[in-house]
Amino acid sequence: MTGSRRVSFSILVVFVALVITSLPSISASPPKAGSACAKQGLTKSYQGKKFTCVKSGKKLVWSKGVAEKQAATVSTPTPTPTPTSAPSPTTSPITVSNLSEYRASEECKLRTNLSGTAEINQSHATRDFLKPDLTKTLRGLVFPVDFPDLQSTSSDAPSVLKRMTEDFAAFYSSQSNGKLKFEWTIVQKYTRLDKTISSFGVGRYNSFSNSQNYWMLNYAFQDLALKTYKRGDFDFFIAVSPEDTSEDLIATSPAFHTKDAKYWPGNWLGGDYWRDERKWFYPVHEFGHYVLGRDDLGSPASMAGISTTKPMGHYDLMNTQAGPELTSWNRWIGGLIEDTQILCLPNTTTVSLLKPIEEVNNEVKGLVIPLSNSKVLVIENRAAIGFDANMPSTSVGVIAYSVDVSVPRSQVPMRLVREPASPVDEWNQQRGGVVTPRIDALKGGESLTYSGYQVKVIGSSGKSMYVEVKKIN
C-alpha cells in the first residue's frame, strides 16, 4: 500500500468513528427520569440508583430511580489495559465469622512474664510497682524546678505546660475510648533546688549506666515538692527543668516507677524534652512506663539514635513519633481497652472486619493468635487519621507483629512480621532523626505468612479492612 493510500485510509477510519460516536443511542445514554427508553421492564444502575423502563401513556420512559443498597465487596483487580476492552471488576459479598467461632479472650493473654523485668514488659502479668487506679480520675502534679547553676530566665512556669497537659489528656482519652481522665495542678512558679544540677551527673557526657544518679535527682525533685504538696493528693508527678536546659546538663527525661508509697511514680522533663518539637510526646511516652508498665519497642541502639533498625517500624508511641497511636496489644495489656475489643482466633479459618485502630469506639481493635504460652501474633488495621495523621502512606493498612515475652529487653519483645520494603524512611529523614527501614503494611489482596498462619486482606469498606486468617500447616 502506498503512503497516500495509508493516509486516506486513516482519515476514513477516524471519520467513520466520529460518525458512529455522534449517533444518538437510547440504550447507551445514562438513564434520566422521564427520558425515553427502549424496552419496558429494562433496568439500569446509575450513580447509586436503579432505574426501570416503564410505560407512561404511549411512551416508554425511565422511572425516578430507587437508591441501591451497597454491600461490602471484594474486588478482582482489572487487568492491565490493552487495545481491546478490559473486563470490569467482579464483586461478591463478604461474610464475617460469627463471634461464637472465636476463642475466649483469656486464651490469648500472656499471663507469665519471662523477660526478666517485672516492672516493664509486654505481658499481662501484674507489675511489680505501685499503680494508680485507672478507673478514677488521675491527678497529675506538674512542678517546675531550677538550680543555682541552671536558673530559669523567668520565675513563671513555661506557658507550654498548659498545652502539654491538654495534649497528654487528649492522647490517652483517645487510646482508651474516654476511659482515662486527668486532673492537673500546674505549679505557676519555679522552685529552686539547693543543689547544683552538675552535682547529680545526669548530663550527656555522664554514664547513663549509673542509674543511681538519676534516682537521686528524682528523689530530690520529689522531696522538694513534698514540702508543699501531699503525696495522697496526686497520683503521678512531672518535674520541669528550665526551658533553656541543654542535654549536656540533663540528657534525658526518664520514667520512675515506685514501690515506696512515700513517692509518686513520674518523670522529669530534661534537655531532650526542650529540644523536641512535640511537647507532649516525652511525658506521654514515659507515662506508658511508670503507670502502664509498657516496655520500649525500639532496640536500645535505635532508641539512642545509633542503629537504623526499629523492629516495630513506624508504629506505637513506645517506639516512634511517626505513628504514635498505641498498638492494640499495648492498649490491651495497659488496661485501656476491654477484652471484648480483642478477638482471639481459633485454628480454623476466620474472616474479621477490622476498623482503623485510630477510631475512638468500643469496637474490635485487634486479632490475636496464640502461638505458645509466651508468644502471640497480633493483627490490626492502621490508617492515617487521629494521632497517626502524619504516618507515611506505606505504613497504612493491615499489620501483623509478634509478641514474645520470653526474650530479654535488648532483643525487643514486639516485632513486625513483614520485612522492610525499602532502606529509605522519608518521615524520619525529613526530621533528621533515626533513618528507619520503611515497612509496608498489607493492602487489598496482599498477604503474609507466619508460624503456620496466612493473613490476607480480602476486601475493604472505606478505611475498614476484611482480614482472612487461616492455618496453612
Side-chain angles (χ1 to χ4, degrees):
M1 182 181 290
T2 66
S4 60
R5 289 181 180 177
R6 282 198 298 269
V7 172
S8 300
F9 179 73
S10 299
I11 293 173
L12 177 60
V13 170
V14 173
F15 174 75
V16 171
L18 289 173
V19 171
I20 291 173
T21 55
S22 65
L23 292 174
S25 172
I26 292 176
S27 61
S29 302
K32 183 179 180 182
S35 63
C37 56
K39 183 179 180 182
Q40 187 173 357
L42 182 68
T43 62
K44 273 193 177 184
S45 294
Y46 180 65
Q47 294 186 340
K49 290 186 176 182
K50 183 177 181 180
F51 295 82
T52 304
C53 186
V54 297
K55 192 168 185 179
S56 177
K58 295 183 178 180
K59 297 181 179 181
L60 293 176
V61 296
W62 290 111
S63 66
K64 292 182 178 180
V66 179
E68 293 182 304
K69 294 183 179 179
Q70 295 183 353
T73 58
V74 56
S75 297
T76 302
T78 302
T80 302
T82 65
T84 58
S85 299
S88 300
T90 59
T91 60
S92 59
I94 298 175
T95 302
V96 298
S97 301
N98 192 287
L99 287 177
S100 62
E101 299 177 44
Y102 298 90
R103 306 177 198 239
S105 60
E106 197 66 29
E107 296 183 53
C108 280
K109 292 183 178 179
L110 298 180
R111 289 289 188 184
T112 304
N113 170 44
L114 305 173
S115 68
T117 54
E119 293 83 13
I120 54 174
N121 57 75
Q122 297 307 111
S123 76
H124 287 87
T126 302
R127 300 302 189 262
D128 187 22
F129 58 78
L130 300 177
K131 291 181 60 176
D133 185 350
L134 299 184
T135 65
K136 298 180 179 179
T137 298
L138 300 175
R139 302 160 300 170
L141 175 62
V142 182
F143 188 69
V145 183
D146 68 358
F147 309 84
D149 58 341
L150 178 58
Q151 297 183 21
S152 173
T153 56
S154 171
S155 61
D156 295 330
S159 59
V160 72
L161 297 181
K162 183 176 185 299
R163 177 62 183 273
M164 180 271 287
T165 56
E166 292 171 348
D167 291 343
F168 187 118
F171 180 83
Y172 276 113
S173 176
S174 71
Q175 307 305 288
S176 63
N177 194 34
K179 178 179 179 179
L180 262 59
K181 301 184 187 321
F182 296 87
E183 178 182 286
W184 299 93
T185 296
I186 303 175
V187 179
Q188 295 301 306
K189 299 289 183 181
Y190 272 92
T191 302
R192 179 72 48 80
L193 194 66
D194 59 5
K195 293 185 66 176
T196 62
I197 185 59
S198 56
S199 68
F200 287 96
V202 293
R204 187 203 310 266
Y205 302 107
N206 300 102
S207 173
F208 188 73
S209 61
N210 187 2
S211 62
Q212 189 63 26
N213 292 1
Y214 292 81
W215 280 101
M216 292 305 295
L217 180 56
N218 173 57
Y219 292 141
F221 282 144
Q222 296 208 29
D223 286 338
L224 185 61
L226 286 166
K227 291 179 180 179
T228 307
Y229 301 95
K230 295 180 180 179
R231 168 64 177 89
D233 290 342
F234 301 96
D235 299 300
F236 64 100
F237 174 84
I238 301 175
V240 182
S241 66
E243 291 185 78
D244 57 355
T245 300
S246 72
E247 291 169 279
D248 294 343
L249 291 175
I250 305 179
T252 62
S253 305
F256 299 90
H257 56 267
T258 184
K259 300 178 185 180
D260 186 345
K262 175 184 175 181
Y263 292 106
W264 295 288
N267 74 294
W268 71 64
L269 305 180
D272 56 351
Y273 173 78
W274 293 115
R275 169 180 53 80
D276 193 78
E277 63 185 42
R278 293 190 182 185
K279 290 296 181 274
W280 59 272
F281 178 80
Y282 279 93
V284 171
H285 173 97
E286 300 306 330
F287 182 89
H289 291 314
Y290 64 74
V291 168
L292 302 179
R294 299 187 303 250
D295 204 349
D296 283 320
L297 299 182
S299 65
S302 71
M303 297 297 283
I306 300 169
S307 169
T308 60
T309 301
K310 283 195 173 186
M312 280 301 292
H314 282 139
Y315 310 107
D316 204 294
L317 179 87
M318 304 311 293
N319 169 61
T320 178
Q321 294 190 35
E325 295 261 355
L326 298 175
T327 54
S328 58
W329 185 260
N330 262 344
R331 298 185 196 205
W332 196 25
I333 65 171
L336 304 186
I337 61 175
E338 305 301 323
D339 287 355
T340 54
Q341 293 178 269
I342 294 292
L343 292 180
C344 185
L345 301 190
N347 288 329
T348 54
T349 300
T350 57
V351 174
S352 310
L353 175 63
L354 282 179
K355 294 190 174 182
I357 197 170
E358 297 85 358
E359 292 183 356
V360 180
N361 54 44
N362 283 319
E363 300 192 40
V364 172
K365 296 297 182 184
L367 312 176
V368 181
I369 304 172
L371 302 176
S372 72
N373 66 344
S374 63
K375 189 174 183 179
V376 296
L377 180 67
V378 186
I379 304 158
E380 63 191 51
N381 178 17
R382 308 288 295 214
I385 57 177
F387 283 85
D388 280 354
N390 295 321
M391 189 167 63
S393 61
T394 51
S395 294
V396 172
V398 172
I399 64 170
Y401 52 91
S402 63
V403 182
D404 189 347
V405 296
S406 68
V407 302
R409 292 188 66 198
S410 60
Q411 294 181 22
V412 189
M414 288 173 59
R415 291 179 174 271
L416 282 169
V417 171
R418 199 161 192 190
E419 292 299 318
S422 165
V424 177
D425 177 332
E426 295 177 0
W427 193 92
N428 271 318
Q429 195 173 58
Q430 290 171 0
R431 290 160 177 77
V434 176
V435 178
T436 309
R438 189 178 71 195
I439 308 294
D440 286 346
L442 295 179
K443 307 297 194 285
E446 296 182 336
S447 65
L448 59 80
T449 58
Y450 184 79
S451 196
Y453 288 88
Q454 181 189 70
V455 179
K456 184 175 183 179
V457 179
I458 61 171
S460 63
S461 177
K463 290 183 171 62
S464 300
M465 299 288 187
Y466 288 88
V467 181
E468 179 188 73
V469 179
K470 63 181 177 181
K471 193 168 179 60
I472 56 177
N473 58 43

